[in-house]
Every structure is written in C-alpha cells, then in structure tokens.
Amino acid sequence: MSVLAANTSDTAYAINVESSSGSFKGVQERDKQNNSKVYVNISSSPTLYTQVRTYGNRNTATYHNETKGITATVQRGVPSSITNYCYENRQSNYTYVLAKVRFRSNSSATGAVKGVWSPDSTKNYTVVN
C-alpha cells in the first residue's frame, strides 16, 4: 500500500457511454502519484452497473489498460476502488504517470454517466476487482 496518496481530490465527469458492445469513453487524464486504487463514484447512469477501465500512459504517448482483470464493474451510488497497475508499470525514474478512467454501459442501454473520480485514494472503498 502507498505511503502517501498525493492526488486524491475528486474530479467531476459527465460522459455519454456506448452499449456493452461499443467502445469505452474516457475522461480527462490526471497525475497518478502512487500505487493506491483509483476511486470512482457514479452518481447517475443509464444502468445500475457500468463497466470501467483504468488507463495509464507509462510515461509514453500511448495509454494502456492497467485494470486488474481487464474491466471492473461499478454499481451506481457505491463509492468504489479499482485495482490497477498504472503506477507500477510506469517507466523507471518517474514518480508519477498520467491516468484516466473510461466507461461503457453494462447492457444495451446508452446515455450519460456522471460522478466523480480520483487517480489516488487514501483508503479502500468497495473494491470491485
């Protein structure tokens, strides 16, 4: 577990998601400064559950899915912690990476997903993967 959780402030997001057969839609990246879980809280969505992935740039121009188990499923209204390897897979000699979350519906329903997220966390909420 992390000694310090540096980037724990919540950032609000509102994004339109595709169906479970579509692509994941992402939010603006943020600095991830330790190996804690990514925090996500979905306040509204077209379905009770939403598929979420965490991506890190490994200090390169390309983002990689760093979600443990490839995809996490987050329940609307439940503060959730997503296990990821964004920080662990960064290039050596870097103290942070950029991380972002991407969302997709858990069914054929599409629509807006809203809530807050942070790349670092001071504690574990409901661990979803």
Side-chain angles (χ1 to χ4, degrees), residues 3 16 19-20 28 34 37 39 44 47 54 61 71 76-77 80 85 89 105-106 118 121 126 128:
V3 175
N16 287 320
S19 71
S20 58
Q28 182 67 39
N34 65 37
K37 293 177 178 10
Y39 169 74
S44 65
T47 58
T54 57
T71 302
R76 182 178 59 232
S80 300
Y85 305 107
N89 289 335
S105 177
N106 201 43
S118 67
S121 186
T126 299
V128 294

Side-chain angles (χ1 to χ4, degrees), residues 2-71:
S2 306
V3 175
L4 295 173
N7 199 358
T8 59
S9 62
D10 288 348
T11 296
Y13 60 84
I15 192 160
N16 287 320
V17 297
E18 295 187 8
S19 71
S20 58
S21 62
S23 62
F24 283 80
K25 300 299 180 185
V27 300
Q28 182 67 39
E29 68 273 352
R30 293 180 58 194
D31 290 346
K32 178 147 184 55
Q33 299 181 348
N34 65 37
N35 64 351
S36 63
K37 293 177 178 10
V38 167
Y39 169 74
V40 172
N41 192 349
I42 298 171
S43 57
S44 65
S45 61
T47 58
L48 181 59
Y49 293 96
T50 301
Q51 296 176 16
V52 183
R53 290 182 177 171
T54 57
Y55 288 81
N57 74 343
R58 300 183 186 182
N59 305 108
T60 66
T62 304
Y63 280 84
H64 303 269
N65 183 359
E66 303 286 7
T67 312
K68 178 183 177 185
I70 301 177
T71 302

